[in-house]
Amino acid sequence: MNNLTVHPLIGLLLFPGGLFLLASGLLYEWIDRKLVARFQNRVGPRFIQPLADLVKLLAKEEISPEGVNKPLFFILPVVALAAALTAALYVPMAGFVPAGSFRGDLIITLYLLSVLTLCLGLAGANTISRFAIIGATRTLTQLFSYEAPFLLALLGPAIAAASWQITDVDFYAQQHLWMAVTQPIGFLVALVGLMGKLELPPFDSPEAETEIVAGAMTEYSGRGYALFRLGKNIELVIGLTLVATFYLGGLANPVQFLIKTLGLLVVLAALQSLFARLRIDQTVGLWWRVGALLALAQLLVLFLLR
Amino acid sequence: MKIRLGTMFGDIIRSLFRRPATQLYPYERRPTPERLRGNLVWDPSKCTGCQLCIKDCPSDAIELIVLDKVAKKFVLRYHQDRCTYCAQCVVNCRFKCLNMDDQTWELASVNKEPFTVYYGKDEDVAFLLEKMARDNAGESGCPE
Amino acid sequence: MEAQRKFIVPIGPQHPALKEPGHFQFSVEGEIVTGATVRLGYVHRGIEKGAEARNWTQNLYLFERICGICSHVHATALALGAERLAGVEAPPRAQAIRTLMSELERIHSHMLWLGVAAHEGGFETLFMYSWRDREIVMDLLESLSGNRVNYSVNLIGGVKFDVTEKHHDEILKGIEILEERTKHYLKVVTTDRTFLARTRGVGLMTLQQAELFGAVGPTARASGVARDVRIDAPYEAYPQFPVRLVTDDGGDLLARFKVRTRELFESYRLIREILNHMPPGELTTRVPRRIPAGETISRVEAPRGELFYFIKSNGSEKPERIKVRTPSLCNWASVTQVAIGHKLADMPMILSGIDPCFSCNDRMVTINRGSSSQVWTWEELRRYGIEYYRQR
Amino acid sequence: MDTSTALEKAAAILQPWALATATPEPNRLDVVIERGSLIPAVKALVKARWGFFSALTGLDQPPSGDGEPVREGCVEVLYHFCSAAAVVTLRVSVPYSDAKIDSICEVIPSATLYERELIEMFGVECTGTPNTERLLLSDDWPEGVYPLRKSFTGFQQAEGQEANHGSAA
């Protein structure tokens, strides 16, 4: 399918990395915002808004607050974005064959996605702002709570396909019935886990504006903030792709990619607007008491049925 | 009472197929209500110069400048930027010469000058402005 | 040593949780709040002092501007007090219109609060919807008075405008939609699992505490205190149109939600009754410009609770002293006490639970301070502002 | 309990400390008391569970010096208690020269906010109120300038007047 003749490195800049990811990240952010707005009976932003925000932030002065480790302060957003971009290499973006693929790339992808959250937590802990520190603690607490169930939920399809390689799972999913049907619990946990990962409401207590302003990102401005936001947007696209690949019958072509990820995004936006924010203790409780157990039960069923 | 998840589900689904409640204000204007208290307008023909309106104005937004008491030559200087649009002056006026317009209510400007409005017969206002200009010129020329 | 290890989280004076400036310091251990202090005064405007330099009518408008949400009750309290001192009473129709406006204002204030509290709890959808529906009552107020806020209904001795047939129908229609929606919101706040997790058992204030702290209004009624000026000491047209007391024994945030939404139904009922039995007659009565000397206490029930005016006249055109005690001030004490032991995440909810109104409390002019460590006087700040804009 | 019986009851409770009583309006009772008997009086009201502490008003009575016998300037502090429609007001007068009053916080803890307002606006020291940091006025408001006293008439003049006042006292 992918028989372009450009140099692979240049190709990488355009697709699946670089430009394509940036554009799709911004696009998905807009769709998300627009959908939430429509669910709330508002108008919502115009499609150019995320780009405008990005350009504005990039053009702004970046202020480094007192008392931070400067190199760390500047490098963290870059690392976060880079991690998110790298993660895209192993995922069937837009339904194409991933740029790189090897045995066990699922684990690598998941950990690359977590690097963003880790960077965020570090960034918050790096400053002396009280809001940022509380935000950082909450970010990391949340990371530890959703990570295990999310991983377990993605393990289900991998076990079914008997491979740790995303392309294999993709291929397997295309051949079989949608795993959202065969493994409904896993699908639910994965979807909600994605919301936790992206700190979307109701799991947005790490950046609850009414309590701790912007959480870990309170002290960030200008470029650093823009990069973090961009990283999150890209994570949104990758996360959606991953869940769609695993649970919605794989991604064979761009049309399928669009339909499936956008469908997921609609559900995600609806979930975002349906609930009140959970407190951090409630989030942790929910994940460990409900999420992890459910995912484990799903795995157990899988093992028993094999 | 039963505890449920997602009690607003019906709302959000319905609103997807509904027009947004947001008004795109500068492009979309609703008609103003009849009683809207906008700009103050003054009809000089009925005024007797009793100054009752000025007495109770909570924000010193109106001044009545008497040019000729006997000939009933008055000019009303109205400071839109000070006005609180409470309509007390309209209530106080026994001759119904004050009124609040329900159409002009967009009062934004980058400087203060347009907010001082002179009401009165054209010749009176012209006379006053000329006099003020003369006084100003005299003042600045005088002291040094 | 202990004191130094305290981790203090400042909320305000500029903070997304507060729509108005106030400064709270919460000392926390982990997420648990161990202490709370409050600092007010960021929106002091010197109204009590200013009142002494204005005549009674001018003060009516000044006091209406104490609060942007419950403006009508402030003017009403002053007008009632002044009328009592002058020994006159506004005609029945005027009283009924004042009451009608008070209740419409209560609806708008409670709807606003519902939205704000939902927003603090991170329930953006409820926030958006309740504010969308609040527009209905705002439109009604606008079409009645000509203004969305600061309606300027009152005159000393009456009201400015009448309620026509057209308004009558308009209001009834609006109320009907609102009632429908309020029923829905009551269902949402009492049955939604995620929202209940944030409100049930949070910010608990017992009956004893509420009485000790002198809480007023819905905050007190949610703890089971039967205290409502409209019932205890009816004013305006409340003797003819009695209100039923709404209380709840819960004492937590959920109870406050319940009490406020149920009060909305009471307001709807009252408005219908007033509209259907509107007394005919004059709108104003004559009141002398000089109010006879004397002291009076004027108490009215604002949306947030009992509003207390102490008015002293010295027989001139200007009042000698007007003391305003707003309901929020009564309820502050309860917040700082109740906060202890709760999670930081609950603070915004608890704060908004009493429906605080900062500008109601702050009525004193101060010298502004710049954001930097350098202290700026108002003049300097003004000059800086003018120069800044001139350069642009 | 209707208003008049409530007021009668309050009058009975406050009888031991009352210097003078008045009923300016049918639903009100004014009781003038000594500074020293404030706390026992408030305690008695609270103990009898008579109403709730509703507000605290300061009233400035500047010195009158022309003609009549010279009266020392004083601040009248009014403690309003409400029970349904009935309002009982305890009136305590404190002279400028010794502007001190006992805090009632030990009896009614929530009174501290009102007391702090009184301290800042009228310069009446409430001995024993837990926190006397600035509540309403800005941190750089000059000491000894009390905005709600009649002698305060704006900023520039106030400083001059306050100085005069100090020298006179």
Side-chain angles (χ1 to χ4, degrees), chain D residues 107-161:
Chain D
V107 196
I108 301 165
S110 58
T112 174
L113 287 180
Y114 309 106
E115 284 179 351
R116 280 163 77 181
E117 189 181 346
L118 186 77
I119 295 169
E120 281 166 30
M121 299 299 172
F122 289 95
V124 176
E125 195 185 315
C126 294
T127 24
T129 201
N131 189 346
T132 52
E133 272 173 43
R134 283 274 162 84
L135 175 72
L136 296 167
L137 295 180
S138 70
D139 294 326
D140 52 2
W141 187 269
E143 286 290 327
V145 178
Y146 306 117
L148 277 182
R149 285 198 183 176
K150 293 280 179 203
S151 53
F152 178 81
T153 51
F155 231 92
Q156 271 72 37
Q157 300 102 306
E159 255 145 311
Q161 277 190 1

Side-chain angles (χ1 to χ4, degrees), chain B residues 1-8 11-15 18 21 30 32-37 52 54-60 84-88 91-92, chain C residues 55 57-58 61 65 123 125 129 132 139 142-147 150-152 155 160-162 164 166-167 181 184 187-188 190-193 196 200 289:
Chain B
M1 209 174 281
K2 233 174 70 192
I3 293 175
R4 296 178 306 157
L5 257 183
T7 40
M8 295 198 77
D11 289 272
I12 66 164
I13 297 301
R14 243 170 283 139
S15 89
R18 242 165 112 177
R30 285 194 340 167
T32 51
E34 231 171 277
R35 284 176 178 171
L36 183 98
R37 302 194 298 263
L52 258 182
I54 291 152
K55 233 174 180 171
D56 274 346
C57 178
S59 52
D60 295 334
T84 59
Y85 302 92
C86 65
Q88 180 66 37
V91 174
N92 271 14
Chain C
N55 71 32
T57 314
Q58 288 172 332
Y61 299 104
R65 275 151 187 82
F123 201 173
T125 311
Y129 276 88
R132 179 195 73 187
D139 287 345
E142 193 187 19
S143 103
L144 263 174
S145 71
N147 250 16
N150 294 338
Y151 326 108
S152 309
L155 294 168
K160 272 202 194 108
F161 49 75
D162 203 358
T164 62
K166 202 180 117 235
H167 291 121
R181 295 302 300 170
H184 178 59
K187 209 175 91 194
V188 169
T190 51
T191 62
D192 192 278
R193 188 183 289 272
L196 277 179
R200 201 159 36 181
R289 283 188 73 82

Side-chain angles (χ1 to χ4, degrees), chain A residues 39 41 130 138 210 273, chain C residues 8 17 31 125 129 132 198:
Chain A
F39 279 133
N41 213 347
R130 284 168 267 204
R138 286 189 184 179
T210 50
S273 36
Chain C
I8 292 175
E31 284 262 327
T125 311
Y129 276 88
R132 179 195 73 187
R198 299 298 306 276

